[in-house]
């Protein structure tokens, strides 16, 4: 049977080409994602190896006990090792050299810095890495290329790529921005990091230890790098060092540290793969409709062939196996094409990212997991989709198959309708329960109900499409004459096939409409949020927290009435980490309308809690204990914070000082005095910040709203592009169904041509049939997408969504594109149908 299956595929490849393309498109997303993330992991793995592998042992804060999570090589943390700790480590048996290391939180500025940034987020991206210089290449992981290392305070070296990129030459004055302002250094040399200066786009700089301690405002070291003697075992040294270091710290070999960081990165990147696999499954799910239609039509066309095989002794099981083997061959070929296509997509994506982020990738090789996932998904979806047609083929009796006309596709839709109605009903009930039953996490019920409703609607599509096609017959006849009437009859004649074709497009459009509804509603939320502000400016730092001194600078500018900093920190409540927001309740409502009950001004030295804390059993009037790094306080719950997903607590600044010492101010609001010109004030404020705090910037609410909406539009574009493969597959499905349908109706078309139907009429008949299916699938998809998107938005009310915004413009665009797609999908089938030889067509077995 395997030989017969191979011959069938080889002798009739045209009928399976579009099916293979559909599978290949879905598979390509998986291959592209895995290749892309594997290259990214490889690039950073090499970086981590360069950072850590040259050092035998690293002593650092234990990431399991660190407040900040620890273990991040790109973030400066608080120093925990005093000079005495470094000396104790150096005295351990087997230790050759022990050097303390400190990273300075700051950024290297280009020479012309001083003007406000045009884009508030230009300071994001690859960070500046500022360290103390030891002069030991194994510890610095860098070697001098030109000049010399920093020997006295006020001297600096930069890596060989960053110096020219920023515009510096040896002898120039380099500006370093930190929380305390801007400090100038003399550039005395350039260094190469590792073997190739592969910094993944970051800027690397070294200064003297005294300067590093001063700029970091920290007398201690964040880590200690250890080189062991030639005859010492690094693991044994780790054990001995662990006995002399402070509590809450650890010793680890450089190789283990590099492997640990790579594993942590891989844990993050796996979510990218999951995201891509989800979209690949959507594409393959849509492709499943094409596969089912293709093999169902093939089975119908080969009814006589299967009957002859049964008559000479082939069992139904063997027929079924042959169909599945054909599907397996198609799956393997299509998956192979998809893997190659995915690899090329990954190359293109890596090239595009490199234009903006630099060379952050390792070798772009096709990983084994990409191949395994691609073949597994492609094969599984194809075989499952071909199973029902295969079962149908195995049940063909010899006598039925030897009749002149095939009888496939005429079974009643009773079971399909019952199952579809049941799934749709259960889905609708689940959605209603999530929206109106007042349960926790209503979006879960809405999500499950949406899946069931979509599957039910898919099965019921035939029940809607057939009456619609029949109802449109008069309209289509008036518009296109007999061609329109024949098109409507063709759709009605094969309801399963037509419904499956339309359902594939329905799912693609539904997802687009759902995403468009969600994002438009999100943009409305953004607009409403910014409408709540009375502040003239939002202030933030492109490097994270806003230095307290920057707020003092803003306060001293003429025309400024209020500067209100908003702090975000983490604290412990009942043994769990919770987010705490700190504000000045006396003035915050002059800048922003907080969503609280009662008003934020009535905070009264207590705490406002969100729903997550209320779920723990706390209510207004209760006492609650919050433990911070600097102390613990017991507060009365004086109100509720009604915006979920923002912070668990809102407290005042005095309480925050008890908990955190210096709260982490991540945002500030500025209110101007009446009569102040906003544009002039923005220039004055930015000029005041430019000298000492150039990394702090401010933007008007309207500017930030525009940026946020642009980001949402970008998100919509990315998701729409990923869903584009599903839509392309759906359009291919329309073309594939029509193409195979033309082959099946060869004699019918020949007879129509014989009685006077023109080629143009045949063309028009096929095109109208395609347009009706495409528009039907689009309209049903938009109805479902908008409805389910609206339900999801309403279910997320606790996260700030206040209402549904319908994306009318997008719906019109989708409808127009659907009609165009219907015409495009019909081009090849219509051309083939119009070119059939009349006599040969009539002579074809029916």
């Amino acid at each position: 049977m395997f030989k017969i299956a191979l011959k069938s595929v080889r002798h009739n490849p045209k009928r399976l080409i579009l099916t293979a393309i559909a599978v290949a498109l879905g598979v390509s997303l998986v291959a592209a994602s895995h290749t892309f993330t594997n290259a990214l992991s490889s690039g950073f793995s090499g970086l981590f190896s360069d950072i850590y592998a040259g050092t035998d042992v690293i002593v650092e804060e234990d990431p399991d006990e660190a407040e900040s999570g620890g273990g991040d090589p790109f973030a400066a943390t608080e120093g925990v090792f005093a000079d005495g700790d470094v000396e104790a480590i150096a005295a351990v048996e087997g230790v050759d050299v022990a050097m303390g290391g400190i990273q300075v939180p700051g950024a290297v500025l280009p020479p012309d810095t001083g003007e406000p940034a045009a884009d508030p987020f230009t300071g994001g991206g690859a960070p500046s890495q500022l360290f103390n210089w030891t002069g030991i290449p194994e510890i610095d992981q860098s070697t001098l290329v030109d000049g010399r290392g920093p020997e006295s305070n006020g001297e600096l070296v930069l890596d060989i790529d960053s110096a020219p990129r920023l515009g510096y030459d040896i002898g120039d004055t380099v500006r370093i921005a930190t929380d305390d302002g801007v400090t100038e250094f003399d550039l005395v040399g350039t260094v190469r990091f590792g073997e190739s200066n592969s910094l993944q786009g970051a800027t690397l700089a070294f200064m003297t230890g005294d300067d590093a301690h001063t700029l970091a405002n920290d007398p201690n070291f964040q880590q200690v790098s250890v080189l062991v003697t030639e005859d010492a075992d690094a693991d044994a040294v780790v054990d001995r060092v662990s006995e002399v270091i402070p509590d809450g710290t650890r010793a680890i070999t450089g190789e283990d540290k590099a492997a640990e960081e790579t594993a942590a990165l891989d844990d993050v990147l796996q979510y990218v793969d999951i995201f891509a696999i989800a979209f690949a499954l959507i594409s393959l799910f849509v492709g499943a409709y094409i596969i089912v239609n293709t093999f169902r039509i093939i089975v119908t066309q080969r009814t006589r062939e299967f009957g002859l095989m049964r008559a000479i002794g082939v069992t139904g099981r063997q027929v079924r196996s042959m169909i599945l083997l054909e599907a397996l061959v198609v799956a393997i070929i299509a998956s192979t094409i998809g893997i190659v296509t995915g690899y090329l997509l990954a190359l293109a994506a890596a090239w595009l990212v490199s234009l903006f982020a630099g060379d952050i990738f390792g070798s772009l090789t096709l990983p084994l997991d990409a191949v395994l996932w691609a073949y597994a998904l492609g094969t599984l979806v194809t075989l499952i989709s071909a199973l029902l047609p295969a079962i149908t083929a195995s049940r063909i009796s010899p006598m039925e198959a030897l009749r002149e006309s095939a009888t496939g596709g005429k079974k009643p839709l009773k079971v399909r309708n019952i199952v579809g109605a049941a799934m749709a009903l259960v889905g609708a009930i689940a959605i209603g329960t999530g929206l109106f039953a007042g349960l926790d996490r209503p979006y879960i019920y809405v999500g499950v109900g949406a899946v069931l409703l979509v599957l039910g609607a898919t099965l019921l599509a035939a029940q809607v499409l057939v009456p619609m096609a029949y109802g449109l017959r008069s309209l289509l006849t008036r518009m296109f004459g007999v061609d329109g009437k024949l098109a409507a009859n063709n759709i009605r004649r094969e309801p399963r096939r037509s419904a499956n074709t339309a359902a594939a497009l329905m799912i693609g459009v539904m997802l687009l409409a759902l995403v468009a509804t969600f994002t438009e509603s999100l943009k409305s939320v953004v607009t409403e949020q910014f409408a709540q502000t009375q502040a003239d400016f939002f202030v933030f730092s492109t490097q994270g927290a806003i230095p307290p001194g920057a707020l003092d600078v803003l306060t001293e500018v003429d025309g400024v009435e209020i500067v209100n900093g908003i702090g975000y920190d983490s604290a412990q409540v009942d043994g769990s980490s919770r987010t705490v927001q700190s504000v000045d309740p006396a003035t915050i409502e002059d800048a922003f309308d907080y969503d609280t009950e009662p008003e934020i001004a009535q905070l009264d030295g207590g705490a406002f809690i969100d729903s997550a804390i209320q779920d723990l059993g706390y209510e207004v009037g209760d006492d609650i204990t919050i433990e911070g790094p600097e102390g613990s306080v017991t507060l009365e719950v004086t109100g509720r914070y009604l915006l979920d997903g923002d912070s668990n607590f809102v407290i005042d600044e005095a309480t925050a000082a008890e908990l955190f010492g210096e709260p982490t101010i991540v945002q500030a609001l500025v209110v101007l005095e009446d009569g102040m010109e906003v544009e002039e004030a923005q220039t004055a404020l930015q000029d005041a910040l430019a000298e000492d705090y150039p990394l702090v910037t401010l933007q008007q609410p309207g500017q930030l709203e525009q940026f946020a909406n642009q980001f949402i539009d970008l998100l919509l574009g990315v998701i729409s592009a990923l869903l584009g493969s599903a839509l392309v597959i759906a359009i291919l499905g329309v073309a594939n169904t029509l193409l195979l349908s033309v082959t099946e109706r060869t004699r019918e078309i020949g007879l129509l041509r014989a009685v006077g139907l023109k080629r143009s009429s045949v063309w028009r008949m096929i095109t109208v049939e395609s347009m009706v299916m495409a528009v039907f699938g689009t309209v049903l998809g938009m109805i479902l997408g908008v409805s389910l998107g609206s339900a999801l938005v309403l279910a997320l009310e606790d996260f700030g969504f206040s209402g549904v915004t319908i994306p009318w413009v997008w719906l019109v665009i989708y409808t127009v594109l659907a009609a165009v797609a219907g015409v495009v999908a019909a081009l090849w089938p219509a051309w083939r149908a119009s070119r059939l030889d009349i006599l040969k067509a009539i002579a074809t077995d029916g």
Side-chain angles (χ1 to χ4, degrees):
M1 301 311 295
F2 184 67
K3 290 182 179 180
I4 297 175
L6 284 177
K7 288 182 179 179
S8 176
V9 174
R10 188 169 64 249
H11 291 159
N12 299 280
K14 293 181 179 179
R15 64 190 179 194
L16 296 170
I17 287 177
L18 295 181
T19 300
I21 292 176
V23 176
L25 284 174
V27 165
S28 65
L29 288 178
V30 178
S33 169
H34 279 78
T35 302
F36 185 85
T37 55
N38 182 73
L40 196 59
S41 175
S42 174
F44 278 93
S45 177
L47 174 62
F48 294 142
S49 295
D50 285 341
I51 292 175
Y52 298 115
T55 305
D56 296 319
V57 176
I58 294 169
V59 188
E60 62 180 6
E61 187 175 12
D62 191 335
D64 293 331
E65 300 185 25
E67 289 292 331
S68 60
D72 182 358
F74 301 117
T77 57
E78 184 178 352
V80 293
F81 300 102
D83 289 335
D85 296 318
V86 178
E87 294 172 0
I89 295 170
V92 170
E93 180 185 353
V95 173
D96 184 24
V97 177
M99 300 293 293
I102 182 167
Q103 181 180 358
V104 178
V108 180
L109 304 177
D112 58 348
T113 295
E115 295 297 324
D119 185 338
F121 295 96
T122 52
S128 292
Q129 303 289 293
L130 315 175
F131 298 97
N132 61 307
W133 175 257
T134 69
I136 303 174
E138 292 84 359
I139 292 178
D140 294 329
Q141 305 302 332
S142 301
T143 54
L144 277 169
V145 177
D146 291 312
R148 59 176 176 82
E151 298 174 351
S152 59
N153 294 341
E155 295 181 343
L156 186 84
V157 294
L158 287 173
D159 72 90
I160 55 175
D161 291 327
S162 297
R165 173 170 54 82
L166 292 170
Y168 287 117
D169 293 314
I170 293 178
D172 289 345
T173 299
V174 179
R175 296 169 44 127
I176 302 292
T178 63
D179 287 349
D180 294 326
V182 176
T183 305
E184 295 183 344
F185 291 84
D186 294 328
L187 183 62
V188 296
T190 58
V191 296
R192 181 179 62 248
F193 174 74
E195 295 296 327
S196 59
N197 203 56
S198 178
L199 287 165
Q200 314 308 109
T203 296
L204 179 64
F206 291 96
M207 62 190 70
T208 63
D210 289 342
D211 279 339
H213 285 297
T214 301
L215 290 186
N217 195 25
D218 191 339
N220 296 325
F221 296 101
Q222 295 148 0
Q223 74 170 38
V224 181
S225 300
V226 175
L227 300 180
V228 303
T229 57
E230 291 184 6
D231 57 344
D233 178 70
D235 291 318
V237 173
V238 165
D239 294 335
R240 289 193 288 269
V241 168
S242 298
E243 297 176 359
V244 302
I245 57 179
D247 293 337
T249 63
R250 68 170 185 176
I252 184 174
T253 65
E255 291 182 357
D256 289 344
K257 178 65 176 177
E260 184 181 89
E261 293 295 341
T262 300
L265 176 66
D266 289 342
D267 287 341
V268 175
L269 293 179
Q270 72 175 345
Y271 291 103
V272 179
D273 288 334
I274 292 172
F275 186 72
I277 289 173
F279 281 95
L281 286 173
I282 290 172
S283 298
L284 290 171
F285 180 68
V286 172
Y289 287 93
I290 300 179
I291 300 168
V292 170
N293 265 0
T294 299
F295 280 94
R296 179 177 286 135
I297 295 173
I298 288 174
V299 167
T300 302
Q301 292 174 349
R302 298 167 63 188
T303 300
R304 179 172 292 182
E305 174 190 336
F306 294 145
L308 288 170
M309 294 174 66
R310 294 296 308 279
I312 62 175
V314 175
T315 65
R317 181 179 179 181
Q318 288 177 309
V319 173
R320 182 172 62 251
S321 298
M322 184 184 68
I323 297 294
L324 292 177
L325 285 171
E326 290 184 23
L328 179 62
V329 172
V330 172
I332 292 175
I333 295 174
S335 297
T336 302
I337 296 172
I339 290 171
V340 175
T341 304
Y343 179 70
L344 295 176
L345 285 174
L347 290 177
W351 173 78
L352 186 62
V353 171
S354 297
L355 292 179
F356 299 96
D359 185 13
I360 63 174
F361 297 96
S363 58
L364 274 160
T365 57
L366 189 65
L368 179 61
D369 56 350
V371 177
L372 295 178
W373 269 106
Y375 279 119
L377 288 177
T379 302
L380 186 64
V381 170
T382 305
L383 289 179
I384 291 176
S385 303
L387 183 59
L388 285 177
I391 293 174
T392 301
S394 69
R395 292 175 178 174
I396 295 176
S397 67
M399 295 306 297
E400 178 186 4
L402 293 175
R403 294 174 183 170
E404 184 176 354
S405 298
T407 58
K410 305 300 182 183
K411 293 181 180 179
L413 299 170
K414 182 177 180 180
V415 175
R416 177 176 177 142
N417 292 338
I418 292 175
V419 174
M423 294 181 74
L425 179 61
V426 173
I429 292 173
I431 293 173
T433 301
L435 292 179
F436 305 112
L439 302 174
D440 292 334
R441 298 180 179 178
Y443 43 86
I444 295 179
Y445 297 91
V446 171
V448 173
V451 173
L452 292 173
L453 183 60
V454 170
L455 293 176
T458 300
L459 295 175
L460 290 173
Q463 202 65 17
V464 179
L465 179 59
V466 173
M468 189 197 76
Y470 188 77
L472 289 175
R473 187 171 63 169
S474 298
L475 175 62
L476 294 175
T477 301
R478 287 196 298 271
M479 294 177 62
F480 303 103
V482 69
D483 307 333
K485 183 176 182 179
L486 289 171
N489 287 340
N490 289 336
I491 294 174
R492 184 177 179 229
R493 184 168 53 183
E494 291 290 348
R496 277 189 179 87
R497 181 189 306 164
S498 302
N500 284 350
T501 304
L505 188 59
M506 175 197 78
I507 293 173
V509 173
M510 178 211 69
L511 291 170
L512 279 176
L514 188 154
V515 172
T517 301
F518 181 82
T519 52
E520 284 295 317
S521 300
L522 182 59
K523 289 170 73 172
S524 297
V525 171
V526 171
T527 300
E528 292 175 5
Q529 287 289 325
F530 281 104
Q532 290 179 271
T533 182
Q534 292 81 46
D536 295 289
F537 301 106
F538 284 85
V539 183
F540 45 87
S541 172
T542 58
Q543 294 291 312
I546 300 175
L551 300 186
D552 296 335
V553 170
L554 294 174
T555 303
E556 294 171 359
V557 174
D558 291 338
V560 172
E561 182 176 352
I562 296 173
V563 177
N564 200 315
I566 301 175
Y568 283 89
D569 293 276
S570 295
Q572 295 289 318
V573 176
D574 293 345
S576 299
S577 179
R578 300 290 179 177
T579 54
V580 180
Q581 182 179 166
S582 56
V583 299
D584 180 359
T587 60
I588 188 64
E589 285 201 328
D590 293 328
F592 191 82
D593 183 13
Y594 262 67
D595 193 6
T596 59
E597 188 180 274
E599 294 181 355
I600 194 71
Q602 299 182 40
L603 187 61
D604 195 24
F608 279 20
I609 60 175
D610 75 340
S611 62
I613 305 302
Q614 295 172 48
D615 291 342
L616 298 177
Y618 291 99
E619 298 177 352
V620 175
D622 293 345
D623 288 337
I624 189 167
T625 299
I626 305 175
E627 300 178 5
E630 298 296 327
S632 175
V633 295
T634 298
L635 305 174
E636 179 185 356
V637 177
T638 54
R640 297 187 301 127
Y641 186 40
L642 303 180
L643 184 60
D644 284 348
D646 187 20
S647 57
N648 301 122
F649 294 92
V650 179
I651 60 175
D652 60 30
E653 293 176 335
T655 305
E658 294 183 50
L659 290 171
F660 311 111
E662 190 74 57
T664 304
I665 306 298
V666 298
Q667 178 180 293
L669 303 175
V670 175
V671 178
L672 301 176
E673 296 175 353
D674 291 340
M676 283 293 299
E677 176 62 39
V678 174
E679 297 294 339
E680 293 180 4
Q682 183 170 9
T683 301
L685 290 168
Q686 200 69 70
D687 287 344
L689 292 168
E691 183 175 353
D692 292 327
Y693 303 100
L695 300 180
V696 178
T697 186
L698 65 157
Q699 294 290 318
Q700 299 174 32
Q703 294 171 326
L704 284 182
E705 179 184 352
Q706 181 181 8
F707 178 85
N709 286 333
Q710 288 175 347
F711 177 79
I712 294 172
D713 288 336
L714 177 62
L715 179 65
L716 174 62
V718 171
I719 295 178
S720 297
L722 290 171
L723 290 174
S725 63
L727 285 175
V728 171
I729 290 172
I731 299 303
L732 290 176
V734 176
N736 196 46
T737 299
L738 291 172
L739 193 61
L740 294 172
S741 176
V742 166
T743 303
E744 187 180 32
R745 289 150 48 191
T746 299
R747 174 182 285 183
E748 173 191 326
I749 295 172
L751 290 172
L752 289 172
R753 291 292 313 282
V755 297
L757 196 68
K758 298 179 179 179
R759 283 184 175 179
S760 58
S761 295
V762 174
W763 190 298
R764 189 158 50 244
M765 176 185 70
I766 301 296
T767 302
V768 171
E769 186 178 343
S770 176
M771 286 182 60
V772 169
M773 288 190 291
V775 172
F776 168 77
T778 300
V779 171
L780 185 57
M782 287 192 297
I783 293 173
L784 279 173
V786 171
S787 300
L788 297 178
S790 301
L792 178 61
V793 168
L794 294 175
L796 296 173
E797 183 179 3
D798 290 341
F799 291 88
F801 287 90
S802 57
V804 178
T805 303
I806 308 298
W808 295 111
V809 174
W810 284 108
L811 299 185
V812 173
I813 291 174
Y814 294 155
T815 303
V816 174
L817 290 178
V820 174
V823 174
V824 173
L827 290 177
W828 187 13
W831 182 84
R832 287 199 60 188
S834 66
R835 293 291 175 177
L836 288 175
D837 184 276
I838 297 176
L839 294 179
K840 290 182 179 179
I842 295 174
T844 302
D845 289 337

